Every structure is written in structure tokens, then in C-alpha cells.
Amino acid sequence: MSARIPTLDITRFDTDRDAFVAELGAAYREWGFAGIRNHGIPQARIDAAYDVFKRFFALPEDVKKQYHVPGGGGARGYTPFGVETAKDSKHFDLKEFWHIGREIPGDSEYRDVMPPNLWPAEVSGFREHGYGLYQALDQLGSRVLSALALHIGLPEDYFADKTDSGNSILRPIHYPPITADDIPNVRAGAHEDINLITLLVGASAAGLEVLSKKGEWVPFTSDADTIVVNIGDMLQRLTNHVYPSTTHRVTNPPGEQARQPRYSVPFFLHPNPDFLIDVLPSTITSDNPKRYPEPITAQGYLEERLREIKLK
């Protein structure tokens, strides 16, 4: 495979800013994906979070389902196996997951669309380690957005007051062992993410594949110390497709590898619910005319998309 998705050292944002911003921007324009290393999140923090997530998924089904919120669109708590379905897919994804959202004051203006978190009483340390990882990824995501803003001529802090109360989600996922051959489902069907950017920390097995502009599926299994960060549809829309939201999937591994569970923890970084997603004037050119005449709020767009993937 001649083409490789780049991995970049984010400490260069402080030491070699212009070059780093140029390289990162070029990677995202081409792939919509990049690896970020030297991200500053201690491995011990990641390991502790994975430990509590695995302990939750090992609980009996009837215990886990107590944390499912009917009609909640999966916004908080547990979503059982066999619910989420990639847009236009005939088959549901082979996964179960949990959602941790932002902790906000009870009287926040966003409380009606950002419900309180649920925390499983059966797993000690779940809240501490789960929300600790949430906060660490939120901070890292803000750094990546600062670099992306600079690359397209925006102020470094452009996104700061637009994401500080963002409806961002940490999603621990469990893909159970696959025990039958020739099943039509895949662990996660081909899709694009909804949000601004996604940060994926410590996928425990291979399987992530990214669709190149040439139409080839390119495997992207990162090193242990690398966090994979990709563009979501909200940022694609905001930037008039300068930053593309690239189709990706999680394939089923061959043979005995399929008999092993897979765990991954993506962090979906969202804008504040009332942020208006309107194409940035600087991204409109004669070669790239405005693709979205009508603006939409982040919350309106999120609800529209959740319906498409059977979560609402």
C-alpha cells in the first residue's frame, strides 16, 4: 500500500507551529484522518478507563439493560447489542455501548437536550475513570481544533467558545466475539461520523478501515501511544468540504481472531447545541461553491442524523 494515513507529533504545535499546522491540515484535506502521538494523556489513565468499561460489559444482560433509557436516543447510559444500524445498511452493527456526556449544571440552558449522566453502581471507579478520560480527550480535541482553525485562516481560539458546552460523547464500545461464520453483519458498517471531530483511543484490535479518495479501503491500526482523530460531518459542512468526513468501517477479523472481543473508545466532540452550522465564507471559492445554502443548529443536525441510524 503506497498511501499511508499520516501520524503527527502534536508537541510540534508548540515547537514548530507553522509546519505542524500545514502538515496536519494537508493530512485532513487528503484523508479526513490522522494519528496524533505524544498527546499527553497518560497510558495509566487510558488503561484504568478500559478496565472499568470491560468490567461493565462483563455484567449480566439484565443488569446492563437497567441502564438503557427507552426513547433517549442512546444519549446517556447503555445501548444494547443489535440497535445501531449504519445509514442505508440492512444489518445492525455487532456492538453494544455506553454513553458518557458532559457534566453540566442542573440549571444550564442546555439541560433539556443534555440529560444527566448515568453511572453503573456495580462497577467501582466507573465515574472517576470514565469522566477523567472524557475530560482529557476534550482538552486534546480542543488543541486539534485550534490547529485546524489556523490552517484555514481562522483565529486559533475560533472553536473555544463554540465547544465549551458541547454535547460531546465518550462511547466505550464492546464488539463481542463472533461465533458464527458467514454472518452478513460487520462490527461497524461503513459510515461517517456526525460531530466535529472524533478521537479514538486505544482500539484493542485491528479492523478500522478508511475509504481513500481512490475508492480503496485502507487499514489504519495505530500504535498503542497514538490517538486516531478524524473529521465528522459537522466540520465537513462548516468548512464546505475543505475538511472531508471520510467513510470508515470496522471489519470482522479472519479466523480465530474473530473469536476475540474487541473494545474501542471513541470521543465524539460536538459543538454547543445552539451553534449554527453555516458554511464559513473563507471556504467558498469559484472551485468550491457553497454546498449548503441553509444553516442548521448543531442540535437540529444531531437529531436529524440520529433518526437515520436508528438511535431516535
Side-chain angles (χ1 to χ4, degrees):
M1 182 72 62
S2 57
R4 285 184 62 84
I5 299 169
T7 293
L8 297 167
D9 180 346
I10 198 167
T11 61
R12 292 176 55 224
F13 189 45
D14 299 319
T15 61
D16 189 16
R17 174 159 297 192
D18 290 348
F20 174 78
V21 167
E23 289 172 33
L24 189 75
Y28 281 117
R29 284 172 183 258
E30 176 64 27
W31 289 102
F33 270 78
I36 299 295
R37 65 170 177 263
N38 289 332
H39 44 75
I41 302 176
Q43 189 60 43
R45 166 161 278 176
I46 296 169
D47 292 344
Y50 264 87
D51 177 63
V52 295
F53 299 152
K54 288 178 180 179
R55 283 195 277 135
F56 171 77
F57 289 123
L59 293 172
E61 289 300 309
D62 59 338
V63 174
K64 290 186 287 190
K65 285 184 176 176
Q66 292 174 18
Y67 295 99
H68 176 60
V69 183
R76 300 291 183 270
Y78 175 65
T79 295
F81 187 75
V83 174
E84 185 171 355
T85 305
K87 183 182 176 183
D88 300 328
S89 176
K90 296 177 184 175
H91 306 288
F92 59 76
D93 292 345
L94 299 177
K95 66 188 180 193
E96 58 180 344
F97 54 88
W98 182 277
H99 274 178
I100 298 171
R102 187 178 302 281
E103 298 271 76
I104 59 174
D107 60 355
S108 166
E109 61 184 309
Y110 301 128
R111 179 50 89 200
D112 60 330
V113 294
M114 293 170 63
N117 278 306
L118 300 178
W119 303 108
E122 295 80 4
V123 182
S124 62
F126 191 102
R127 179 174 188 164
E128 174 194 351
H129 297 301
Y131 201 67
L133 184 59
Y134 181 108
Q135 291 174 303
L137 290 168
D138 197 31
Q139 292 170 2
L140 177 62
S142 294
R143 293 191 75 200
V144 174
L145 285 175
S146 294
L148 290 174
L150 288 171
H151 182 70
I152 55 172
L154 297 172
E156 179 184 347
D157 63 353
Y158 174 81
F159 288 102
D161 64 351
K162 300 167 181 64
T163 56
D164 56 355
S165 294
N167 193 6
S168 302
I169 292 290
L170 186 72
R171 175 191 277 191
I173 305 173
H174 172 223
Y175 303 95
I178 297 167
T179 55
D181 295 323
D182 301 324
I183 58 169
N185 317 58
V186 293
R187 281 180 159 169
H191 66 283
E192 300 82 42
D193 293 345
I194 297 170
N195 39 291
L196 286 174
I197 58 173
T198 301
L199 296 86
L200 176 65
V201 56
S204 66
L208 176 64
E209 295 184 349
V210 178
L211 188 63
S212 76
K213 288 183 176 178
K214 296 178 181 176
E216 299 169 327
W217 286 105
V218 179
F220 191 18
T221 302
S222 63
D223 296 331
D225 63 345
T226 298
I227 289 177
V228 177
V229 184
N230 64 278
I231 306 295
D233 286 349
M234 289 183 181
L235 190 56
Q236 172 177 264
R237 182 168 177 150
L238 183 68
T239 63
N240 208 31
H241 291 229
V242 169
Y243 291 135
S245 176
T246 304
T247 303
H248 53 286
R249 66 187 182 185
V250 179
T251 59
N252 301 344
E256 282 307 304
Q257 288 176 288
R259 309 297 187 250
Q260 301 299 317
R262 183 183 194 270
Y263 298 90
S264 70
V265 183
F267 177 76
F268 301 112
L269 195 155
H270 282 258
N272 301 351
D274 55 2
F275 173 65
L276 198 63
I277 306 171
D278 195 7
V279 173
L280 293 163
S282 61
T283 62
I284 303 168
T285 64
S286 57
D287 294 335
N288 189 28
K290 188 174 184 179
R291 299 168 187 253
Y292 302 96
E294 296 296 325
I296 187 171
T297 64
Q299 183 64 25
Y301 187 74
L302 174 62
E303 290 178 359
E304 187 179 283
R305 291 293 302 276
L306 288 177
R307 284 190 289 271
E308 292 177 348
I309 60 173
K310 312 284 177 68
L311 284 182
K312 204 160 181 71

